[in-house]
Amino acid sequence: PEDAKRLTADLDAHLADRMEMMKRRAADAGPTAVKELIDGLKTELLVVYGSETGTAEAVARRFAKYAKQRGCSIRACTEMNDVCDLPSQSPVAIVAFVATCGDGEIPGGALLFRDALNNFKAGDLSKHTFAVFALGDRSYAKFCEAGKFFDKKLEAC
């Protein structure tokens, strides 16, 4: 029993010391790592959203705000319908937030962009990079269908 108490106390002390050391390392490396990441991010971001009720827009605007606070360059934060001319724009990293409405339908704020995207050819968007964040309700059969559509189409162009 005495050895068990000593071992438990030694283990507790070791774990507490280890936790403090890890906290110090995280505090020392955290700001430096974030600064190096941001300094290395030379690509401008174009934040777009396809929203019906405003949820995807709110998420996109919050993302753009936080990215800007962290030193990222934001070209714009706008509706997907406003960027139907992507092939003619200078290279940019597109971050899209897309809601799914109804039964897997494209939201109104992205219908014109969908039509334009359907007319783009392979390679038209090759100078751009993109990330798509799909928003939806898991209880629907076509969960995040609009985001999946845009992800697939952007990849093909």
Side-chain angles (χ1 to χ4, degrees):
E2 195 61 40
D3 287 339
K5 286 181 184 177
R6 186 177 49 78
L7 285 173
T8 301
D10 288 349
L11 180 60
D12 287 344
H14 171 74
L15 292 175
D17 289 345
R18 181 88 174 150
M19 180 64 111
E20 287 304 313
M21 180 188 70
M22 292 174 78
K23 284 181 182 177
R24 281 193 307 277
R25 279 188 187 169
D28 292 343
T32 303
V34 170
K35 182 174 179 356
E36 288 173 3
L37 176 65
I38 290 171
D39 288 346
L41 184 61
K42 302 297 182 202
T43 305
E44 183 177 37
L45 300 178
L46 172 60
V47 181
V48 297
Y49 53 86
S51 193
E52 192 71 34
T53 63
T55 302
E57 178 181 0
V59 173
R61 291 194 181 283
R62 188 175 311 138
F63 172 85
K65 174 185 166 188
Y66 290 138
K68 189 172 184 176
Q69 286 175 352
R70 286 162 177 76
C72 295
S73 173
I74 307 295
R75 180 180 295 181
C77 180
T78 189
E79 237 181 27
M80 293 176 88
N81 286 341
D82 295 336
V83 295
C84 293
D85 62 341
L86 273 180
S88 65
Q89 290 191 26
S90 60
V92 67
I94 303 156
V95 183
F97 294 85
V98 186
T100 300
C101 55
D103 186 29
E105 297 162 19
I106 307 289
L111 289 172
L112 295 175
F113 183 73
R114 178 208 53 201
D115 295 343
L117 193 56
N118 282 330
N119 292 318
F120 296 162
K121 297 175 198 71
D124 279 355
L125 302 179
S126 62
K127 63 185 169 186
H128 304 298
T129 57
F130 69 90
V132 176
F133 292 90
L135 289 79
D137 183 337
R138 286 186 190 274
S139 66
Y140 286 90
K142 295 183 179 176
F143 172 64
C144 290
E145 196 66 28
K148 292 173 187 176
F149 168 82
F150 283 112
D151 186 59
K152 187 175 181 179
K153 292 298 275 186
L154 287 165
E155 185 72 33
C157 293

